[in-house]
């Protein structure tokens, strides 16, 4: 009997993963577990090593050291067997430009050894999901950037994967397409599919990830659910004040003690505080007059800023 | 679509040989190749066929005027065009195979993303290598067929044995292609790729392609006789006139060994070639 509280078996176990390019460690000792059915996120600034980690999970990049176990197998020793159950959306679309749109799906399915009759039906269903039915016979290079992205995402589902690796899946998608994808991902998750994704969109990470790691310079800076991370690394609220581009830094010197912590960005100053309105009153009482002010709940973006010293979208 | 349970996430290892690199599905790579050919402009496909034909026309007919007839493999005199035509077929098989297994692979690896996308499926590098070599040989087969046809039209074929030129050309191509990929795995830049051309051109010119080996001093003859192209040229020449001897078997054996060693070498280098 299956009980709902039983902790799921990890389907991905990474221990001290290292990937060196020359004398630089792009991934520098990363360890994590992903249980079955979880939606697991990798966040981090550009060059943090997210895509490199994803490629090692897919078994297409050889690790320099460390252990990796995917569904009980080492992807380096059992690449084809592991990848038979993986769906991959790489950061950069790698569609087959020499084949038409629908053939991209069919031939990709053939690489998995799936039958033509199965693929004919599956391809039509995925074209519908990607909203590309009327482009079935079009050349790939005639598609827009977002359409290519949608086709790449649709293609990753052709083999009904147990684990789906999504490297910045929604980059380049319009809001409607993004919501179609989120909806699809939720439904896959309900079916027990495990998701591993990277994103630079914090709303996406909060929406989609049960748990995530923040990576910087190839190392894990923090790990937890979005709510846990916010609780641990940020105050409850954030007060954003603007004094004008040249004056933010000078004004910030006078903000000491108005909140738990002050963060100066080029265009605004962030005051981390349990109560933003109270902090704003303290600031006004000091005779400072911000041009604009805004109180909001702390988000993952604040956690990110705290941990990496950089804003997410550099 | 059913709900996934924990048990569905336990995979059994594939214990067959090469399972890290091979999913026994090279036919999917080949299927893709044919689908691309079908949708391609046929002019692209045919262009590679003309190179040896142009050589044959210019040298065979042009130079042939000056040279007259030469001694064929059987000892009987044959026209100069008939002398160089089988050699050109061997050269074209070599060039096509080398191009496909080096430049083409190098380019697709570094600039196209085709192999990256294939390697994210259950295909392994061995499937891709086998599929790509097959496609290269298929193209070589078409060119050889066309060239043999041209030879027939020009009256350069005197024996039905000449039909064997086509499979022989594919064999020669296979020998070179099986080595080419392994060599490409060591290449990192375009400059390094140029070395391949630097090796190929003299082999083309000096492998008894346009004149008999006997013009060289003996030590040079030994060197040329060790080169793969010479064996290809001689094999083709013997087939085109039906003048078979023990040497024919030696040439074939040379290629058989070359194919086996090349494939083993390429298989060893697959990780370096595809999984960086
Ligand atoms: N093929 C390669 N050769 C050399 N260095 C590489 C290679 N691929 C990645 N790197 C380096 O490894 C580091 C991590 O790159 P990676 O692509 O994993 O970052 P990322 O976290 O995905 O960044 P982004 O958010 O920009 O996609 C970078 O410093 C990058 O320059
Ligand atoms: Mg990346």
């Amino acid at each position: 009997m299956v009980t709902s509280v039983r902790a799921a078996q990890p389907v991905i176990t990474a221990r001290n993963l290292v990937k060196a390019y020359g004398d630089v460690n792009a991934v520098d000792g990363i360890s994590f577990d992903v249980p079955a059915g979880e939606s697991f996120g990798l966040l981090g600034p550009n060059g943090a090593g997210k895509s490199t980690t994803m490629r090692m999970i897919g078994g297409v990049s050889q690790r320099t050291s460390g252990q990796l176990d995917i569904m009980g197998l080492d992807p380096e020793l059992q690449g084809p067997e592991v990848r038979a159950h993986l769906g991959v959306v790489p950061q950069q679309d790698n569609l087959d430009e020499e084949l038409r749109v629908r053939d991209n799906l069919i031939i990709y399915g053939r690489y998995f050894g799936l039958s033509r009759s199965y693929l004919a039906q599956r391809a039509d269903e995925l074209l519908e999901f990607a909203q590309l039915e009327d482009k079935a016979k079009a050349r790939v290079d005639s598609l827009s950037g977002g359409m290519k992205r949608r086709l790449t995402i649709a293609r990753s589902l052709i083999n009904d994967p147990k684990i789906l690796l999504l490297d910045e899946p929604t980059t380049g998608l319009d809001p409607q397409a993004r919501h179609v994808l989120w909806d699809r991902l939720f439904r896959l998750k309900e079916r027990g599919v495990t998701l591993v994704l990277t994103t630079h969109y914090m709303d996406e990470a909060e929406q989609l990830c049960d748990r995530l790691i923040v990576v910087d310079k190839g190392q894990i800076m923090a790990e937890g659910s979005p709510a846990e991370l916010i609780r641990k690394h940020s105050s409850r609220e954030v007060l954003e004040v603007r004094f004008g581009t040249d004056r933010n830094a000078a004004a910030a010197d006078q903000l000491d003690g108005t909140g738990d912590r002050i963060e100066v960005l080029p265009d605004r100053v962030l005051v981390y505080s349990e109560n933003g309105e109270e902090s704003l009153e303290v600031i006004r009482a000091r005779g400072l007059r911000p041009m604009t002010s805004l109180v909001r709940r702390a988000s993952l973006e604040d956690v990110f800023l705290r941990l990496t010293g950089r804003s997410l979208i550099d | 679509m059913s709900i996934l349970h924990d048990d569905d996430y336990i995979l059994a290892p594939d214990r067959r040989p090469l399972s890290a690199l091979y999913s026994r599905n090279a036919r999917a790579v080949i299927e893709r190749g044919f689908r691309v050919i079908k949708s391609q402009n046929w002019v692209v496909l045919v262009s590679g066929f003309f190179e040896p034909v142009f050589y044959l026309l210019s040298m065979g007919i042009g130079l042939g005027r000056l040279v007259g007839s030469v001694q064929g493999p059987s000892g009987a005199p044959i026209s100069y065009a008939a002398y160089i035509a089988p050699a050109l077929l061997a050269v074209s098989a070599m060039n096509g195979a080398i191009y496909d297994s080096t430049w083409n692979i190098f380019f697709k690896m570094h600039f196209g993303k085709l192999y990256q996308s294939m390697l994210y499926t259950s295909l392994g590098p061995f499937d891709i290598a086998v599929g790509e070599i097959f496609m290269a040989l298929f193209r070589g087969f078409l060119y050889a067929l066309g060239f043999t046809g041209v030879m027939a039209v020009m009256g350069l074929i005197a024996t039905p044995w000449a039909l064997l030129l086509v499979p022989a050309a594919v064999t020669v191509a296979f020998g070179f292609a099986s080595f080419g990929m392994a060599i490409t795995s060591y290449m990192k830049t375009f400059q390094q790729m140029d070395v391949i051309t630097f090796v190929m051109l003299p082999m083309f010119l000096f492998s008894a392609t346009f004149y008999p080996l006997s013009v060289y001093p003996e030590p040079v003859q030994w060197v040329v006789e060790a080169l793969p192209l010479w064996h290809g040229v001689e094999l083709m020449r013997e087939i085109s006139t039906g003048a078979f001897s023990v040497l024919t078997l030696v040439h074939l054996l040379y290629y058989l060994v070359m194919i086996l060693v090349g494939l083993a070498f390429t298989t060893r280098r697959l990780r370096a070639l595809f999984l960086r």
Side-chain angles (χ1 to χ4, degrees), chain B residues 104-272:
Chain B
N104 208 354
I105 299 270
F106 184 81
F107 189 83
K108 283 194 198 161
M109 199 60 226
H110 290 267
F111 301 98
K113 302 201 185 80
L114 178 64
Y115 297 145
Q116 272 114 302
S117 70
M118 287 180 167
L119 288 169
Y120 272 128
T121 69
S122 35
L123 290 180
F126 194 73
D127 300 278
I128 300 179
V130 170
E132 289 287 68
I133 288 179
F134 180 90
M135 287 314 295
L137 297 185
F138 176 72
R139 201 164 11 205
F141 166 79
L142 289 185
Y143 292 163
L145 206 61
F147 190 82
T148 309
V150 170
M151 283 172 70
V153 169
M154 287 174 67
L156 303 178
I157 286 178
T159 154
W161 286 114
L163 274 179
L164 289 178
L165 283 173
V166 178
V170 173
T171 307
V172 169
F174 198 177
F176 282 98
S178 67
F179 257 92
M181 274 201 195
I183 289 164
T184 307
S185 73
Y186 291 98
M187 303 290 168
K188 302 237 159 14
T189 65
F190 269 113
Q191 283 78 8
Q192 291 171 337
M193 293 298 290
D194 277 329
V195 173
I196 295 172
T197 316
F198 187 76
V199 173
M200 305 290 292
L201 188 64
M203 189 144 81
F204 162 46
L205 292 174
F206 298 123
S207 291
T209 327
F210 296 109
Y211 43 79
L213 193 63
S214 55
V215 302
Y216 296 124
E218 203 160 313
V220 178
Q221 289 188 18
W222 292 340
V223 173
V224 174
E225 282 175 348
L227 295 177
L229 183 58
W230 179 76
H231 289 275
V233 166
E234 289 300 300
L235 176 65
M236 297 295 192
R237 222 164 245 160
E238 284 158 13
I239 292 174
S240 74
T241 51
F244 299 105
S245 69
V246 186
L247 276 178
T248 317
L249 278 181
V250 172
H251 303 318
L252 276 174
L253 201 64
Y254 186 102
Y255 274 93
L256 189 67
V257 171
M258 190 172 167
I259 289 167
L260 292 177
V261 172
L263 284 182
F265 185 21
T266 293
T267 306
R268 284 191 62 122
R269 293 295 300 170
L270 281 173
R271 282 178 197 275

Side-chain angles (χ1 to χ4, degrees), chain A residues 91-106:
Chain A
Q91 184 169 356
Q92 299 196 317
D93 296 326
N94 54 7
L95 296 166
D96 194 332
E97 308 261 342
E98 292 178 287
L99 296 175
R100 310 266 160 177
V101 168
R102 189 164 180 275
D103 284 347
N104 255 275
L105 297 173
I106 303 240

Side-chain angles (χ1 to χ4, degrees), chain A residues 110-111 113, chain B residues 21-34 118 122-135:
Chain A
R110 298 290 291 158
Y111 297 157
Chain B
L21 303 170
Y22 184 37
S23 70
R24 290 164 177 74
N25 192 15
R27 86 192 94 84
V29 180
I30 294 167
E31 188 176 331
R32 177 207 174 258
F34 280 116
M118 287 180 167
S122 35
L123 290 180
F126 194 73
D127 300 278
I128 300 179
V130 170
E132 289 287 68
I133 288 179
F134 180 90
M135 287 314 295

Side-chain angles (χ1 to χ4, degrees), chain A residues 45-52 54-55 91 167-168 198 200:
Chain A
N46 291 142
K50 305 180 294 294
S51 300
T52 307
M54 296 286 246
R55 279 199 298 273
Q91 184 169 356
D167 198 349
E168 300 190 27
T198 79
H200 287 299

